[in-house]
Amino acid sequence: EIECVCDHATDFTASSAPPKIKPVTVDELLSVSLDDLMNTWKVFAVVGGMFGCMSVLVVSFNRRDARAKRKILNKFIDGKTAVMMGFHVVSDVWTWEIDVQEMQFMFNNLHYANDPEAVEALLAESHGEDEKAKRRELDSVLEQADDFVAADAGRAIRRRREALKRAKRA
């Protein structure tokens, strides 16, 4: 025999039968009057207050995140240097532009093969009479034979660096 020795007032009979569910009908929804709404204004005030607070939090957190994102970007490159290097911020993302002349070189090199004489002339122009430097440059170009644009992109980056050095000296 089981005997309950609880000393608090608890009614366990509610758990023995499932509750009866009464669905809301369309007629009951349409029968809501202005007096009913006025009697429950506190509920609307609480829900409206929660919605308003949530909206304020969303706006403030979006602004905070945008500032943090900009701060992180500026840790890598400050604004003035970024603009000098050709970077621009578009929708809080750094983008880089390539000059039209550099793009034209890349486009032309994709479609026209350089003959050996032209390659030798370019190497002589950039490295003078230094045969080891010419050979290293030629080897690096031949390593990039599968990627036609890599050499021109490297040349564009070198030009950009040289322009930055000239700008510092000026």
Side-chain angles (χ1 to χ4, degrees):
E1 176 178 321
I2 298 176
E3 185 177 326
C4 180
V5 289
C6 297
D7 60 354
H8 59 358
T10 307
D11 184 14
F12 293 102
T13 59
S15 63
S16 63
K20 294 184 179 180
I21 299 172
K22 182 183 175 198
V24 178
T25 64
V26 176
D27 292 334
E28 290 175 343
L29 285 176
L30 294 176
S31 69
V32 174
S33 66
L34 187 59
D35 289 336
D36 294 335
L37 293 178
M38 294 304 282
N39 288 335
T40 58
W41 68 269
K42 291 178 185 176
V43 173
F44 289 113
V46 169
V47 171
M50 290 170 54
F51 181 76
C53 289
M54 181 195 63
S55 299
V56 168
L57 286 174
V58 165
V59 169
S60 65
F61 287 150
N62 268 345
R63 286 187 179 171
R64 183 199 64 179
D65 291 347
R67 275 192 226 114
K69 192 177 193 182
R70 208 166 280 129
K71 186 176 178 182
I72 289 171
L73 285 174
N74 288 337
K75 279 184 182 179
F76 294 114
I77 303 174
D78 67 342
K80 292 178 184 176
T81 306
V83 172
M84 284 176 41
M85 293 176 67
F87 288 97
H88 298 285
V89 178
V90 177
S91 300
D92 289 331
V93 176
W94 288 109
T95 59
W96 185 49
E97 68 179 29
I98 298 177
D99 293 339
V100 174
Q101 183 180 11
E102 293 166 357
M103 283 298 282
Q104 186 64 42
F105 285 136
M106 284 187 242
F107 180 78
N108 285 342
N109 286 337
L110 281 174
H111 298 284
Y112 298 109
N114 291 322
D115 57 355
E117 293 83 20
V119 171
E120 287 294 328
L122 285 172
L123 290 173
E125 180 183 317
S126 61
H127 296 290
E129 297 300 320
D130 187 5
E131 292 297 324
K132 287 184 180 179
K134 285 184 196 178
R135 188 70 200 157
R136 276 194 309 263
E137 183 74 22
L138 184 59
D139 289 342
S140 73
V141 168
L142 292 176
E143 285 176 8
Q144 300 169 358
D146 293 336
D147 186 4
F148 296 108
V149 180
D152 292 321
R155 189 178 307 127
I157 291 169
R158 283 195 301 274
R159 282 189 194 145
R160 178 73 66 183
R161 287 181 182 153
E162 290 169 2
L164 288 172
K165 288 177 186 175
R166 285 193 301 271
K168 274 188 178 179
R169 281 186 251 140

